[in-house]
Amino acid sequence: MQRIREDLNKPQKSFVSIEEFCQYTGLKYEHIESYIIG
């Protein structure tokens, strides 16, 4: 998460959105949605 923040020039304690995480990792939201929602 910290590497994503650094690459996106976000403050150290800021949140990384699901969209930012997916773009960074190359995952599709549809693939991780069930893990988030349950």
Side-chain angles (χ1 to χ4, degrees):
M1 297 304 286
Q2 188 58 38
R3 174 167 260 158
I4 296 172
R5 286 186 198 99
E6 290 171 2
D7 288 353
L8 296 175
N9 295 316
K10 295 184 89 158
Q12 184 176 3
K13 302 261 182 183
S14 66
F15 289 107
V16 173
S17 71
I18 297 167
E19 291 82 10
E20 290 169 333
F21 178 81
C22 289
Q23 287 176 346
Y24 189 86
T25 60
L27 295 171
K28 294 187 181 214
Y29 178 81
E30 296 80 27
H31 292 149
I32 63 168
E33 183 178 21
S34 63
Y35 295 103
I36 297 168
I37 297 172

